[in-house]
PDB file of all heavy atoms in Angstrom:
ATOM      1  N   ILE A 884     -14.128 -16.821 -20.273  1.00 97.00           N
ATOM      2  CA  ILE A 884     -13.404 -17.819 -19.504  1.00 97.00           C
ATOM      3  C   ILE A 884     -13.058 -17.276 -18.069  1.00 97.00           C
ATOM      4  O   ILE A 884     -13.266 -17.897 -17.043  1.00 97.00           O
ATOM      5  CB  ILE A 884     -12.112 -18.300 -20.200  1.00 97.00           C
ATOM      6  CG1 ILE A 884     -12.535 -18.988 -21.477  1.00 97.00           C
ATOM      7  CG2 ILE A 884     -11.291 -19.144 -19.320  1.00 97.00           C
ATOM      8  CD1 ILE A 884     -11.250 -19.358 -22.377  1.00 97.00           C
ATOM      9  N   MET A 901     -15.530 -24.250   4.071  1.00 90.00           N
ATOM     10  CA  MET A 901     -15.127 -24.667   2.833  1.00 90.00           C
ATOM     11  C   MET A 901     -16.257 -25.362   2.058  1.00 90.00           C
ATOM     12  O   MET A 901     -16.917 -26.289   2.516  1.00 90.00           O
ATOM     13  CB  MET A 901     -14.048 -25.744   3.013  1.00 90.00           C
ATOM     14  CG  MET A 901     -12.780 -25.188   3.679  1.00 90.00           C
ATOM     15  SD  MET A 901     -12.122 -23.643   3.054  1.00 90.00           S
ATOM     16  CE  MET A 901     -11.650 -24.192   1.475  1.00 90.00           C
ATOM     17  N   MET A 904     -14.070 -26.539  -3.010  1.00 93.00           N
ATOM     18  CA  MET A 904     -12.729 -26.824  -3.593  1.00 93.00           C
ATOM     19  C   MET A 904     -11.754 -26.756  -2.533  1.00 93.00           C
ATOM     20  O   MET A 904     -11.893 -26.241  -1.395  1.00 93.00           O
ATOM     21  CB  MET A 904     -12.471 -25.832  -4.751  1.00 93.00           C
ATOM     22  CG  MET A 904     -12.651 -24.419  -4.165  1.00 93.00           C
ATOM     23  SD  MET A 904     -12.583 -23.183  -5.538  1.00 93.00           S
ATOM     24  CE  MET A 904     -14.270 -23.185  -6.137  1.00 93.00           C
ATOM     25  N   PHE A 909      -8.631 -22.812  -5.042  1.00 96.00           N
ATOM     26  CA  PHE A 909      -9.263 -21.514  -4.936  1.00 96.00           C
ATOM     27  C   PHE A 909      -8.203 -20.435  -5.317  1.00 96.00           C
ATOM     28  O   PHE A 909      -8.505 -19.514  -6.091  1.00 96.00           O
ATOM     29  CB  PHE A 909      -9.733 -21.258  -3.520  1.00 96.00           C
ATOM     30  CG  PHE A 909     -10.426 -19.906  -3.331  1.00 96.00           C
ATOM     31  CD1 PHE A 909     -11.673 -19.647  -3.629  1.00 96.00           C
ATOM     32  CD2 PHE A 909      -9.585 -18.859  -2.770  1.00 96.00           C
ATOM     33  CE1 PHE A 909     -12.242 -18.428  -3.376  1.00 96.00           C
ATOM     34  CE2 PHE A 909     -10.154 -17.556  -2.620  1.00 96.00           C
ATOM     35  CZ  PHE A 909     -11.486 -17.388  -2.914  1.00 96.00           C
ATOM     36  N   SER A 911      -5.658 -20.812  -7.227  1.00 96.00           N
ATOM     37  CA  SER A 911      -5.430 -20.816  -8.692  1.00 96.00           C
ATOM     38  C   SER A 911      -6.467 -20.086  -9.421  1.00 96.00           C
ATOM     39  O   SER A 911      -6.233 -19.375 -10.301  1.00 96.00           O
ATOM     40  CB  SER A 911      -5.436 -22.273  -9.178  1.00 96.00           C
ATOM     41  OG  SER A 911      -4.336 -23.003  -8.665  1.00 96.00           O
ATOM     42  N   MET A 920      -8.082 -11.966 -17.056  1.00 98.00           N
ATOM     43  CA  MET A 920      -8.812 -10.616 -17.299  1.00 98.00           C
ATOM     44  C   MET A 920      -7.841  -9.543 -17.725  1.00 98.00           C
ATOM     45  O   MET A 920      -8.154  -8.665 -18.661  1.00 98.00           O
ATOM     46  CB  MET A 920      -9.599 -10.254 -16.034  1.00 98.00           C
ATOM     47  CG  MET A 920     -10.795 -11.049 -15.779  1.00 98.00           C
ATOM     48  SD  MET A 920     -11.838 -11.205 -17.207  1.00 98.00           S
ATOM     49  CE  MET A 920     -13.353 -11.782 -16.470  1.00 98.00           C
ATOM     50  N   MET A 926      -6.745  -5.927 -21.947  1.00 97.00           N
ATOM     51  CA  MET A 926      -5.671  -5.308 -22.863  1.00 97.00           C
ATOM     52  C   MET A 926      -5.907  -5.713 -24.289  1.00 97.00           C
ATOM     53  O   MET A 926      -5.892  -4.787 -25.152  1.00 97.00           O
ATOM     54  CB  MET A 926      -4.294  -5.761 -22.392  1.00 97.00           C
ATOM     55  CG  MET A 926      -3.839  -5.057 -21.097  1.00 97.00           C
ATOM     56  SD  MET A 926      -2.338  -5.741 -20.445  1.00 97.00           S
ATOM     57  CE  MET A 926      -1.117  -5.197 -21.591  1.00 97.00           C
ATOM     58  N   GLY A 975      -0.933 -28.251 -10.273  1.00 93.00           N
ATOM     59  CA  GLY A 975      -1.997 -27.246 -10.532  1.00 93.00           C
ATOM     60  C   GLY A 975      -1.496 -25.975 -11.206  1.00 93.00           C
ATOM     61  O   GLY A 975      -0.288 -25.783 -11.319  1.00 93.00           O
ATOM     62  N   PHE A1090       6.681  -1.352 -10.478  1.00 97.00           N
ATOM     63  CA  PHE A1090       7.175  -0.366 -11.548  1.00 97.00           C
ATOM     64  C   PHE A1090       6.469  -0.646 -12.909  1.00 97.00           C
ATOM     65  O   PHE A1090       6.171   0.282 -13.543  1.00 97.00           O
ATOM     66  CB  PHE A1090       8.601  -0.399 -11.681  1.00 97.00           C
ATOM     67  CG  PHE A1090       9.135   0.599 -12.610  1.00 97.00           C
ATOM     68  CD1 PHE A1090       9.345   1.961 -12.205  1.00 97.00           C
ATOM     69  CD2 PHE A1090       9.285   0.403 -14.029  1.00 97.00           C
ATOM     70  CE1 PHE A1090       9.789   2.895 -13.110  1.00 97.00           C
ATOM     71  CE2 PHE A1090       9.707   1.348 -14.929  1.00 97.00           C
ATOM     72  CZ  PHE A1090       9.923   2.613 -14.419  1.00 97.00           C
ATOM     73  N   PHE A1120     -15.939  19.462 -23.694  1.00 95.00           N
ATOM     74  CA  PHE A1120     -15.472  20.517 -22.985  1.00 95.00           C
ATOM     75  C   PHE A1120     -13.939  20.354 -22.675  1.00 95.00           C
ATOM     76  O   PHE A1120     -13.523  19.255 -22.194  1.00 95.00           O
ATOM     77  CB  PHE A1120     -16.168  20.661 -21.595  1.00 95.00           C
ATOM     78  CG  PHE A1120     -15.781  21.826 -20.750  1.00 95.00           C
ATOM     79  CD1 PHE A1120     -16.397  23.112 -20.971  1.00 95.00           C
ATOM     80  CD2 PHE A1120     -14.812  21.734 -19.818  1.00 95.00           C
ATOM     81  CE1 PHE A1120     -16.050  24.154 -20.236  1.00 95.00           C
ATOM     82  CE2 PHE A1120     -14.506  22.829 -19.023  1.00 95.00           C
ATOM     83  CZ  PHE A1120     -15.050  23.998 -19.267  1.00 95.00           C
ATOM     84  N   ALA A1133      -0.033   9.828 -17.308  1.00 96.00           N
ATOM     85  CA  ALA A1133       0.942   8.809 -17.685  1.00 96.00           C
ATOM     86  C   ALA A1133       2.229   9.051 -17.111  1.00 96.00           C
ATOM     87  O   ALA A1133       2.894   8.067 -16.627  1.00 96.00           O
ATOM     88  CB  ALA A1133       0.968   8.885 -19.297  1.00 96.00           C
ATOM     89  N   ARG A1181     -26.021  21.157 -19.279  1.00 93.00           N
ATOM     90  CA  ARG A1181     -26.970  21.840 -20.118  1.00 93.00           C
ATOM     91  C   ARG A1181     -26.961  21.338 -21.596  1.00 93.00           C
ATOM     92  O   ARG A1181     -27.309  22.056 -22.568  1.00 93.00           O
ATOM     93  CB  ARG A1181     -26.699  23.316 -20.184  1.00 93.00           C
ATOM     94  CG  ARG A1181     -26.875  23.935 -18.878  1.00 93.00           C
ATOM     95  CD  ARG A1181     -27.028  25.366 -18.998  1.00 93.00           C
ATOM     96  NE  ARG A1181     -27.683  25.984 -17.872  1.00 93.00           N
ATOM     97  CZ  ARG A1181     -27.798  27.206 -17.554  1.00 93.00           C
ATOM     98  NH1 ARG A1181     -27.340  28.139 -18.397  1.00 93.00           N
ATOM     99  NH2 ARG A1181     -28.423  27.625 -16.471  1.00 93.00           N
ATOM    100  N   TRP A1192     -23.757   3.489 -20.862  1.00 98.00           N
ATOM    101  CA  TRP A1192     -22.519   2.908 -20.377  1.00 98.00           C
ATOM    102  C   TRP A1192     -21.529   3.946 -20.041  1.00 98.00           C
ATOM    103  O   TRP A1192     -20.853   3.902 -19.070  1.00 98.00           O
ATOM    104  CB  TRP A1192     -21.985   1.971 -21.350  1.00 98.00           C
ATOM    105  CG  TRP A1192     -22.721   0.699 -21.508  1.00 98.00           C
ATOM    106  CD1 TRP A1192     -23.790   0.458 -22.409  1.00 98.00           C
ATOM    107  CD2 TRP A1192     -22.775  -0.464 -20.650  1.00 98.00           C
ATOM    108  NE1 TRP A1192     -24.297  -0.800 -22.221  1.00 98.00           N
ATOM    109  CE2 TRP A1192     -23.710  -1.385 -21.165  1.00 98.00           C
ATOM    110  CE3 TRP A1192     -21.955  -0.872 -19.596  1.00 98.00           C
ATOM    111  CZ2 TRP A1192     -23.883  -2.621 -20.620  1.00 98.00           C
ATOM    112  CZ3 TRP A1192     -22.141  -2.102 -19.080  1.00 98.00           C
ATOM    113  CH2 TRP A1192     -23.117  -2.955 -19.522  1.00 98.00           C
ATOM    114  N   ILE A1217      -2.801   0.884   6.108  1.00 94.00           N
ATOM    115  CA  ILE A1217      -2.404  -0.146   6.871  1.00 94.00           C
ATOM    116  C   ILE A1217      -3.644  -0.883   7.343  1.00 94.00           C
ATOM    117  O   ILE A1217      -3.602  -2.125   7.505  1.00 94.00           O
ATOM    118  CB  ILE A1217      -1.751   0.516   8.255  1.00 94.00           C
ATOM    119  CG1 ILE A1217      -0.427   1.169   7.863  1.00 94.00           C
ATOM    120  CG2 ILE A1217      -1.547  -0.551   9.329  1.00 94.00           C
ATOM    121  CD1 ILE A1217       0.173   1.937   8.856  1.00 94.00           C
ATOM    122  N   ASP A1294     -12.075 -19.068   2.836  1.00 94.00           N
ATOM    123  CA  ASP A1294     -12.977 -19.267   4.014  1.00 94.00           C
ATOM    124  C   ASP A1294     -12.978 -17.912   4.695  1.00 94.00           C
ATOM    125  O   ASP A1294     -12.095 -17.108   4.579  1.00 94.00           O
ATOM    126  CB  ASP A1294     -12.495 -20.372   4.866  1.00 94.00           C
ATOM    127  CG  ASP A1294     -13.558 -20.698   5.984  1.00 94.00           C
ATOM    128  OD1 ASP A1294     -14.681 -20.199   5.917  1.00 94.00           O
ATOM    129  OD2 ASP A1294     -13.233 -21.560   6.835  1.00 94.00           O
ATOM    130  N   PHE A1313     -24.548 -10.951 -12.479  1.00 97.00           N
ATOM    131  CA  PHE A1313     -23.708 -10.181 -13.375  1.00 97.00           C
ATOM    132  C   PHE A1313     -23.180 -11.170 -14.461  1.00 97.00           C
ATOM    133  O   PHE A1313     -23.096 -10.863 -15.657  1.00 97.00           O
ATOM    134  CB  PHE A1313     -22.643  -9.453 -12.648  1.00 97.00           C
ATOM    135  CG  PHE A1313     -21.749  -8.582 -13.551  1.00 97.00           C
ATOM    136  CD1 PHE A1313     -22.244  -7.547 -14.276  1.00 97.00           C
ATOM    137  CD2 PHE A1313     -20.401  -8.778 -13.521  1.00 97.00           C
ATOM    138  CE1 PHE A1313     -21.513  -6.757 -15.112  1.00 97.00           C
ATOM    139  CE2 PHE A1313     -19.544  -7.962 -14.402  1.00 97.00           C
ATOM    140  CZ  PHE A1313     -20.053  -6.982 -15.124  1.00 97.00           C
ATOM    141  N   ALA A1353     -17.714   0.239 -42.663  1.00 91.00           N
ATOM    142  CA  ALA A1353     -16.522   0.888 -43.189  1.00 91.00           C
ATOM    143  C   ALA A1353     -15.868  -0.027 -44.218  1.00 91.00           C
ATOM    144  O   ALA A1353     -15.735  -1.284 -44.020  1.00 91.00           O
ATOM    145  CB  ALA A1353     -15.564   1.139 -42.079  1.00 91.00           C
TER     146      ALA A1353
END
Side-chain angles (χ1 to χ4, degrees):
Chain A
I884 295 175
M901 301 306 296
M904 54 190 82
F909 179 85
S911 292
M920 288 306 199
M926 290 171 69
F1090 182 85
F1120 184 88
R1181 299 196 158 174
W1192 291 93
I1217 294 171
D1294 189 5
F1313 185 57

